[in-house]
Amino acid sequence: MRARTSCSIARRWLTGLPTSEQIEDWRGRAETIRQALVTRRSEIEGLTNAAVELAAKIDSIKTATGLVDDAAAHASRASRDDAWRSHRQAMDQITAEAFESSLRHDDGIIDAQLSQTSQAADLRQAVQASATTSANLKRADELHSEALDLKSVLQGEIGGALTVIGLPPDMHLAELDRWLLRRVSALELAAGLKGASNELQSVQDDAKAQIERLASALKTAGIMAVDTAFDTLLLSLQTVVDQQKKRLTEFANAGKSVDSLTAEFVARKRDFADAQSIDDEWQRDWDAAVGSCWLGEVSSRPVPAEISQVLSLIAEISPLEVERESLSHRIEAMRRDQEQFVHAVQSIASTLGLATDEDPLKLAASLRRHLELARLNDEKRRGKRADLEQAETAHRQAMEAIALHEAEASTFTSFFGADSLVEVSGKIEQANRRSDLERQLRQLDQRVTAACRSETMEDAEAILTELDQSQLEAEAATLAARIEGQDREAHDLHARRTQADRALAAIGGDDAVARLDEERRTVLVELEEKAIRFARLKLGITAAHQALQIYRDTHRTSMLQRASEAFRTITRGSYLRLATQPSDDKELLVGVPVAGRSKLATDMSTGTRAQLYLALRIAGYHEFAKTRPSLPFIADDILETFDDFRSEEACRLLAEMAKTGQVIVATHHRHLIDIARGMCPAITVHDLPM
């Protein structure tokens, strides 16, 4: 009953069951759709952020400059034309004012565009970029909707197939895999149950036949079976068999013991004869070997132990012979070196005009002293040459100063109309004297006008003519008395100052103040010299950096140019080129976008950094392949963060690389295979097992 039930379940599960190829196709399609949704969401997010940034940029330009975009400008122009047509038809004050207002508004827009050309170009470029971003965003939304539709179709297909076999339509593929594993286990259990039932029936039939055979065998052995149970019959028969086996085993063991002992005796006898024969033959060979050499002359033949000691002594002769040869070779080499040394020393001494009949070691020491003397003379010569160059420089500077002085003297003599600098000095003193007199006159005028409280000398003279002389004399006497009192006060103050000076002198009369002032002046001079030296070094470093930057820009390698072209191609023109900028003692690689400031690699997005990395690898590969045999280019899922458009450009560059060498790209995104086939139909695809 259980077997029939399991068979019916198995037949129901086999009906309409999806195949493994169909499940794998569902899984691949689901993964492709999932990757497409992730890519589209990333594109939508990026394009949305770009659209927001462009809108903010457009608003900031409009707010800062008062500019409007081309659409608003066209609308203003159309409004002006409509106002003009209305005015031509009506020709009244209202239409005239409306036309004037529209015309002023349109002229303001045109003037703003003309006066702010660069800002207008930036605004127009931002508007165009915003339109392009909006179009790309719309296309990304459409592709996202298509991916969602494909996902719905796939879910409907999977749900329909699951409904046919009685499973929930929303079951996940992983749950379906687990269900299929449980189904296989159930089928195996059903098959095992059916086999066990058949085997049980066969065993029962065989048991009846075996019982009959056991009863017959016991009857033949003379044992009448009282109980016909299978276990009892089998135990009785096993007892008879065990007794018979025991007797047979004992007999066989006795025979084997006799045969074994006989064979062992024969083998030992044969081994003894062979050993005796070998010993006799070895003794004959030993006597012949000893008799054939100088050992045969000895009265008593030596034994092998004595010969072993002699051979060990003979073995030590060979290393000693090798060492003797090595020492002889070293002695000969040292003798040759000594002869070459003597010849070289004598040759150098002969070149220098020295006596060559002295001892070579003394001659070498003499040459060494001559060498040290020559080095010292060379150092002195270089020092004198440097002193000469400094003297020539000082002489040149002095001559330049003399020429400058003569030019200035000529300028002064021609200006004053004099024949010599002495006359010029007299002219200058006269001019200075005149200036002093004019200055004193101005001071006296100021004192008179201040005393009279007038603005000009004429007013002061008028005031003085009106004064009474007797009154002035009385006032002068009063002032003289005041002056006398102030003189006495001044004498008192001078006496007090003298006492203070004496007290100050009593405190200490050393030169500390002078020394401090001298130290201050010295420090100021050192600071001035160090500041001048720092300025020179700073200017030199700046000039060196500028020269290095100019050299780098002039001799920029082709690798950076090729990387710039590859990066511009992969980003579809979003970045114009790659450049470098100095940072301390190194250079940093930056990307120059179409709009906005340059960006470091750390400021770029993850996808853009991956595109920059691929561009650098492509450029490096081409540079390497120009001078060396090309190696395989291997990339592992490097296009994972690329969108479809940039993946196409990257595949196009990889196809160009394949013309030089082998290109291997590993990926688990199946849609990239279709893109690669579109760019290069000749590619070879290998599906690797997971």
Side-chain angles (χ1 to χ4, degrees):
M1 181 62 184
R2 292 180 179 177
R4 288 195 297 271
T5 302
S6 62
C7 291
S8 63
I9 293 173
R11 285 194 298 272
R12 182 167 62 83
W13 281 356
L14 288 173
T15 304
L17 189 68
T19 62
S20 59
E21 291 80 5
Q22 187 177 7
I23 294 174
E24 187 63 27
D25 179 65
W26 287 345
R27 184 177 288 105
R29 288 163 60 189
E31 178 63 20
T32 302
I33 293 171
R34 188 189 68 80
Q35 293 292 338
L37 288 174
V38 172
T39 302
R40 301 311 170 201
R41 292 192 192 100
S42 178
E43 291 177 357
I44 291 172
E45 183 179 358
L47 292 172
T48 303
N49 294 333
V52 172
E53 291 177 358
L54 289 172
K57 183 177 181 180
I58 292 170
D59 293 339
S60 64
I61 293 175
K62 289 181 179 180
T63 303
T65 61
L67 293 172
V68 297
D69 53 15
D70 292 341
H74 291 317
S76 176
R77 181 62 58 84
S79 176
R80 187 199 68 178
D81 294 339
D82 293 339
W84 171 245
R85 284 192 294 270
S86 300
H87 178 61
R88 289 186 61 184
Q89 293 176 1
M91 296 299 291
D92 55 6
Q93 183 67 24
I94 297 175
T95 57
E97 292 176 354
F99 173 67
E100 181 183 4
S101 176
S102 299
L103 183 61
R104 289 182 182 277
H105 183 263
D106 187 59
D107 290 342
I109 293 175
I110 294 173
D111 292 340
Q113 291 179 343
L114 293 176
S115 62
Q116 302 179 6
T117 307
S118 60
Q119 291 84 351
D122 293 340
L123 179 60
R124 188 175 294 107
Q125 186 177 6
V127 171
Q128 293 175 356
S130 177
T132 303
T133 304
S134 299
N136 292 334
L137 180 60
K138 183 178 179 182
R139 178 57 181 164
D141 288 332
E142 293 176 356
L143 294 176
H144 184 263
S145 300
E146 292 177 1
L148 290 176
D149 295 338
L150 292 175
K151 182 178 181 181
S152 300
V153 171
L154 179 61
Q155 289 177 349
E157 181 179 348
I158 296 173
L162 295 178
T163 304
V164 171
I165 60 177
L167 295 176
D170 56 349
M171 178 181 285
H172 197 268
L173 291 178
E175 296 179 358
L176 179 59
D177 290 336
R178 291 192 292 270
W179 182 84
L180 290 175
L181 292 176
R182 293 196 299 271
R183 168 187 166 275
V184 171
S185 300
L187 291 176
E188 291 177 353
L189 290 175
L193 180 61
K194 181 178 179 181
S197 300
N198 296 332
E199 185 177 357
L200 177 61
Q201 185 63 36
S202 176
V203 168
Q204 290 176 351
D205 296 338
D206 187 48
K208 293 180 180 179
Q210 293 298 330
I211 289 173
E212 294 176 357
R213 290 176 60 190
L214 287 174
S216 176
L218 290 173
K219 185 177 180 182
T220 304
I223 299 174
M224 296 301 296
V226 179
D227 189 0
T228 59
F230 178 77
D231 294 338
T232 304
L233 295 175
L234 183 60
L235 182 60
S236 301
L237 183 61
Q238 185 66 38
T239 302
V240 175
V241 171
D242 292 340
Q243 293 175 356
Q244 187 67 23
K245 283 183 178 180
K246 184 177 180 181
R247 287 194 295 269
L248 291 174
T249 301
E250 291 175 354
F251 179 76
N253 290 335
K256 288 180 180 179
S257 298
V258 173
D259 294 338
S260 175
L261 293 174
T262 302
E264 184 178 358
F265 174 74
V266 173
R268 288 187 178 184
K269 187 176 181 180
R270 185 173 60 252
D271 292 341
F272 176 76
D274 293 340
Q276 187 65 38
S277 175
I278 291 171
D279 182 66
D280 295 341
E281 184 178 358
W282 181 86
Q283 189 63 41
R284 288 193 298 270
D285 292 340
W286 173 259
D287 294 338
V290 172
S292 62
C293 63
W294 58 272
L295 295 174
E297 300 175 359
V298 181
S299 59
S300 60
R301 295 293 177 87
V303 296
E306 297 174 349
I307 297 299
S308 176
Q309 295 178 358
V310 174
L311 291 177
S312 62
L313 295 175
I314 293 174
E316 295 178 356
I317 296 176
S318 179
L320 296 174
E321 182 67 21
V322 173
E323 185 177 0
R324 185 186 66 80
E325 292 293 336
S326 176
L327 292 174
S328 300
H329 178 72
R330 291 174 60 186
I331 292 170
E332 184 64 26
M334 293 172 67
R335 185 179 294 109
R336 287 196 303 270
D337 294 341
Q338 184 177 9
E339 292 176 356
Q340 292 176 0
F341 172 76
V342 172
H343 177 71
V345 169
Q346 291 178 353
S347 176
I348 296 172
S350 177
T351 303
L352 297 177
L354 301 176
T356 60
D357 54 352
E358 296 182 5
D359 182 59
L361 296 178
K362 295 181 179 179
L363 188 58
S366 177
L367 291 176
R368 190 176 295 107
R369 288 193 297 273
H370 280 80
L371 177 62
E372 294 295 332
L373 182 61
R375 287 176 178 173
L376 292 175
N377 291 333
D378 184 65
E379 292 179 358
K380 291 180 180 179
R381 181 183 60 80
R382 286 198 296 268
K384 295 300 182 182
R385 179 172 296 176
D387 295 340
L388 178 61
E389 292 177 354
Q390 292 179 359
E392 291 177 350
T393 302
H395 180 266
R396 185 170 58 255
Q397 293 176 353
M399 294 302 296
E400 292 175 355
I402 291 172
L404 180 61
H405 175 71
E406 290 177 352
E408 292 179 353
S410 176
T411 302
F412 282 122
T413 54
S414 61
F415 177 77
F416 288 103
D419 296 332
S420 64
L421 292 177
V422 176
E423 295 181 3
V424 170
S425 177
K427 297 283 187 180
I428 292 175
E429 289 180 357
Q430 292 177 2
N432 292 334
R433 180 59 180 168
R434 180 179 177 179
S435 298
D436 292 339
L437 292 174
E438 290 178 351
R439 179 176 54 79
Q440 292 177 6
L441 181 59
R442 286 193 299 270
Q443 290 178 354
L444 291 174
D445 291 342
Q446 291 176 358
R447 290 175 63 184
V448 171
T449 54
C452 297
R453 297 180 180 178
S454 61
E455 295 180 357
T456 61
M457 281 296 298
E458 289 79 6
D459 296 338
E461 290 176 356
I463 293 172
L464 291 174
T465 54
E466 295 177 357
L467 293 176
D468 186 6
Q469 185 176 1
S470 60
Q471 184 179 359
L472 291 176
E473 291 177 353
E475 186 176 356
T478 303
L479 292 175
R482 291 179 60 186
I483 290 173
E484 184 178 359
Q486 290 180 355
D487 286 338
R488 286 195 300 270
E489 186 178 358
H491 284 298
D492 294 338
L493 292 175
H494 179 69
R496 292 173 60 186
R497 183 179 183 279
T498 303
Q499 293 178 358
D501 290 338
R502 291 175 181 175
L504 180 61
I507 293 175
D510 55 1
D511 58 346
V513 176
R515 285 190 290 102
L516 290 176
D517 184 67
E518 183 180 359
E519 291 178 359
R520 183 181 66 84
R521 293 177 182 274
T522 303
V523 171
L524 290 177
V525 171
E526 291 179 354
L527 287 176
E528 182 180 2
E529 293 177 352
K530 291 182 179 179
I532 293 173
R533 186 172 182 272
F534 173 77
R536 290 176 179 173
L537 293 177
K538 189 67 176 179
L539 291 175
I541 293 172
T542 304
H545 279 302
Q546 292 179 354
L548 183 60
Q549 184 63 32
I550 293 172
Y551 177 83
R552 287 171 176 168
D553 294 339
T554 304
H555 300 79
R556 185 64 62 197
T557 60
S558 59
M559 179 176 174
L560 184 60
Q561 297 176 358
R562 189 182 294 273
S564 298
E565 295 174 359
F567 190 50
R568 181 170 59 253
T569 301
I570 294 175
T571 59
R572 299 177 68 87
S574 298
Y575 284 81
L576 294 177
R577 59 186 175 87
L578 296 175
T580 58
Q581 65 180 18
S583 176
D584 296 333
D585 56 347
K586 60 182 179 180
E587 285 191 341
L588 298 178
L589 184 65
V590 297
V592 181
V594 174
R597 60 183 181 85
S598 59
K599 295 182 179 179
L600 295 172
T602 54
D603 297 333
M604 299 178 183
S605 62
T606 303
T608 307
R609 283 200 301 269
Q611 294 154 19
L612 174 60
Y613 172 69
L614 178 58
L616 292 174
R617 285 196 62 187
I618 291 173
Y621 181 84
H622 284 293
E623 290 297 319
F624 183 87
K626 285 196 304 185
T627 57
R628 301 175 182 84
S630 60
L631 298 174
F633 179 87
I634 302 175
D636 185 9
D637 227 344
I638 197 170
L639 306 178
E640 181 179 7
T641 59
F642 290 22
D643 55 24
D644 291 347
F645 305 113
R646 301 191 179 188
S647 297
E648 292 177 358
E649 301 297 338
C651 290
R652 182 180 291 107
L653 293 176
L654 294 176
E656 294 178 359
M657 289 176 59
K659 298 176 182 178
T660 305
Q662 186 180 16
V663 177
I664 301 173
V665 179
T667 181
H668 62 277
H669 301 288
R670 293 189 175 273
H671 70 283
L672 294 177
I673 299 176
D674 300 332
I675 294 175
R677 281 202 177 101
M679 295 297 103
C680 182
I683 65 171
T684 302
V685 179
H686 300 278
D687 290 326
L688 303 179
M690 298 300 290

